[in-house]
Amino acid sequence: DAKTTQPPSMDCAEGRAANLPCNHSTISGNEYVYWYRQIHSQGPQYIIHGLKNNETNEMASLIITEDRKSSTLILPHATLRDTAVYYCIVSFHGSGNTGKLIFGQGTTLQVKP
Amino acid sequence: NAGVTQTPKFQVLKTGQSMTLQCAQDMNHEYMSWYRQDPGMGLRLIHYSVGAGITDQGEVPNGYNVSRSTTEDFPLRLLSAAPSQTSVYFCASSYSSRVGLYEQYFGPGTRLTVT
């Protein structure tokens, strides 16, 4: 399984965009980049995923570099409720997938008023 | 939809006791799994199931049993509780297709303390 590297913590002002980086230099061609977050004591919550194109949904945008070795999760207008640990995960999306998600230490995002 | 539900929310066990953590989902997901999360750590996969009647081990299966008799339910059984099993347990489910799994939905967790 490919590994990811994320900064341990980041701060963001409420209402501003939060840009969370992730390095995944050993990602293979059939692995997707997933982002989940975990708000204190709750179960992880899926945010977004992508293969090589940029993706956007109602929660966030995902920018993946052309060489796929890194990505950035963007929360366009962070609120206090976005304070959480954010996990960047790479996972094989093919048949026979165990579904195992390797959760590293993630990035603790603190949104401040 | 209730999504993924887990019971109980909290449990205290004595060493050597056994118990079953319940997990149910109403999304008709084929894939279900159990993770544990120790303080300050990421989640680790215990067991998973790709459909009714099919289960397999994850990375930390020792001390736990699972069964999947229906699509909706995936209980996790602790055979003989040990203090090292003190943790928060999360159940997850996902839609799957021929090409693989999609986003996983997690339950609220069961906080287990073994004394």
Side-chain angles (χ1 to χ4, degrees):
Chain A
D1 297 314
K3 293 185 178 177
T4 63
T5 303
Q6 300 177 251
S9 63
M10 295 181 63
D11 290 341
C12 178
E14 188 177 19
R16 303 296 294 270
N19 296 284
L20 290 87
C22 179
N23 286 325
H24 30 79
S25 58
T26 59
I27 191 170
S28 60
N30 57 6
E31 286 182 315
Y32 283 68
V33 179
Y34 286 82
W35 283 83
Y36 284 78
R37 73 180 182 183
Q38 188 172 24
I39 297 170
H40 179 63
S41 298
Q42 298 180 19
Q45 177 189 23
Y46 164 82
I47 301 173
I48 198 168
H49 76 280
L51 183 62
K52 54 184 176 181
N53 297 321
N54 298 339
E55 303 288 345
T56 294
N57 63 21
E58 64 279 3
M59 289 182 68
S61 295
L62 174 60
I63 309 297
I64 302 174
T65 58
E66 193 169 342
D67 63 8
R68 302 211 322 125
K69 293 185 177 182
S70 65
S71 61
T72 301
L73 178 75
I74 301 172
L75 308 178
H77 305 287
T79 71
L80 298 178
R81 288 178 294 180
D82 291 321
T83 292
V85 179
Y86 287 77
Y87 296 98
C88 169
I89 299 166
V90 294
S91 179
F92 173 59
H93 200 64
S95 59
N97 185 3
T98 67
K100 181 175 75 173
L101 298 176
I102 298 178
F103 287 83
Q105 295 302 305
T107 295
T108 299
L109 175 68
Q110 182 73 47
V111 180
K112 298 186 174 181
Chain B
N1 283 352
V4 179
T5 58
Q6 293 183 237
T7 56
K9 286 188 170 58
F10 301 92
Q11 183 70 49
V12 179
L13 290 178
K14 294 188 188 311
T15 298
Q17 287 184 316
S18 64
M19 77 158 295
T20 300
L21 308 186
Q22 301 291 343
C23 174
Q25 52 90 10
D26 61 358
M27 297 173 282
N28 202 32
H29 285 168
E30 294 165 320
Y31 177 89
M32 296 185 74
S33 62
W34 277 100
Y35 286 86
R36 62 176 285 174
Q37 184 173 32
D38 298 329
M41 305 279 289
L43 281 73
R44 292 182 291 168
L45 183 66
I46 304 172
H47 285 285
Y48 66 96
S49 168
V50 297
I54 306 169
T55 64
D56 209 340
Q57 297 181 351
E59 57 184 312
V60 288
N62 292 341
Y64 307 95
N65 273 357
V66 291
S67 59
R68 184 93 180 272
S69 56
T70 67
T71 299
E72 295 78 19
D73 301 298
F74 190 43
L76 177 73
R77 183 164 180 81
L78 279 69
L79 307 173
S80 176
S84 61
Q85 293 178 304
T86 294
S87 191
V88 181
Y89 292 83
F90 292 103
C91 178
S93 74
S94 172
Y95 171 70
S96 65
S97 73
R98 183 177 55 84
V99 297
L101 297 181
Y102 296 82
E103 60 268 25
Q104 296 192 28
Y105 294 83
F106 285 80
T110 294
R111 283 145 187 81
L112 176 68
T113 301
V114 182
T115 60

